[in-house]
Amino acid sequence: MPNEILLCLSLLFSYGGLLVFFKLFGKAGLYTWMTFTAITANIEVLILVNAFGLEQTLGNTLFAASFLATDILSEIYGKKSANKAVFIGIAVSASFIVITNLWLLYTPSTNDWVFPSIKTVFSNTPRIMTASLIGYAVSEIFDVWAYHAWWNFTQKKTGSKEKFLWLRNNGSTLVSQFINIVIFNFLAFWKIYDLKTLINITASCYIIYIFTSLLDTPFIYLAKTMISTQDK
């Protein structure tokens, strides 16, 4: 199956799965999905693929879902709940880095067959995972702040708390995704690639992020239609 189709399916699963968890478990479902994306994105980001004519790391769709989750939390439950989700994600990511590095300290049994593969994946990736954690932390904290900054701005201009959901959603996420990809790429790949290549990779990744960010807007509107069935 082409990478392009797989990426589209992954994005639909990431956004759709988030809403399913929200429908089934309410706020706890959003926190759970944030935890899921924090762990799996840290693994997926190690994979480099070509899609839509661009070379990119995976993890785009999962990280995009985490931004959607904090936007839904901000919109429905408030800034405090959104920040709590961010700190949960940071704690989970940091714990994942620690435990995967502890795995490498074990002496495997002579009957073991999986340890060499685990070592190949994780022994050379602390820098990448740490870069991912820092990018995630900074961009998610900014995203929550920016979402409410846009909300306050539009409310003052229009007198309505409900209008311009699309603006606060995209206005925060597009900038946050840019912050995320710049921090991650420059911390993870500085001196591995020359500056020109690094800038090209960052630009290519951000183009994908623009589409994933814009495509999450219908899902936040869908989440708002589900409010009546949830406990705030």
Side-chain angles (χ1 to χ4, degrees), residues 1-12 52 61:
M1 188 178 293
N3 286 343
E4 291 80 2
I5 294 177
L6 287 171
L7 281 173
C8 291
L9 290 175
S10 296
L11 186 65
L12 288 174
F52 302 105
T61 58

Side-chain angles (χ1 to χ4, degrees), residues 70 72-83 144 148 151:
T70 53
I72 293 173
L73 285 163
S74 288
E75 183 69 24
I76 298 174
Y77 299 105
K79 188 175 184 179
K80 185 177 180 180
S81 294
N83 278 325
V144 174
H148 288 274
W151 202 345

Side-chain angles (χ1 to χ4, degrees), residues 21-47:
F21 269 59
F22 179 47
K23 177 69 174 178
L24 293 175
F25 308 113
K27 186 194 293 187
L30 296 176
Y31 289 151
T32 301
W33 200 257
M34 284 283 290
T35 302
F36 165 72
T37 58
I39 295 172
T40 51
N42 271 311
I43 300 172
E44 195 179 45
V45 77
L46 304 175
I47 304 171

Side-chain angles (χ1 to χ4, degrees), residues 91-174:
V92 168
S93 295
S95 299
F96 180 78
I97 293 172
V98 171
I99 198 65
T100 52
N101 279 276
L102 284 176
W103 292 345
L104 305 180
L105 301 179
Y106 283 92
T107 301
S109 165
T110 54
N111 295 317
D112 174 83
W113 58 271
V114 76
F115 188 79
S117 298
I118 294 292
K119 189 173 182 180
T120 299
V121 172
F122 293 109
S123 63
N124 296 315
T125 58
R127 176 179 175 179
I128 292 177
M129 288 188 177
T130 302
S132 178
L133 172 60
I134 294 172
Y136 174 89
V138 174
S139 61
E140 287 281 7
I141 290 171
F142 176 84
D143 182 68
V144 174
W145 173 85
Y147 191 95
H148 288 274
W150 276 111
W151 202 345
N152 291 334
F153 174 77
T154 56
Q155 187 173 355
K156 286 179 182 178
K157 292 294 182 181
T158 65
S160 172
K161 192 176 181 180
E162 298 298 321
K163 292 181 178 179
F164 292 101
L165 170 57
W166 62 270
L167 179 59
R168 53 186 177 268
N169 169 232
N170 290 304
S172 59
T173 303
L174 285 169

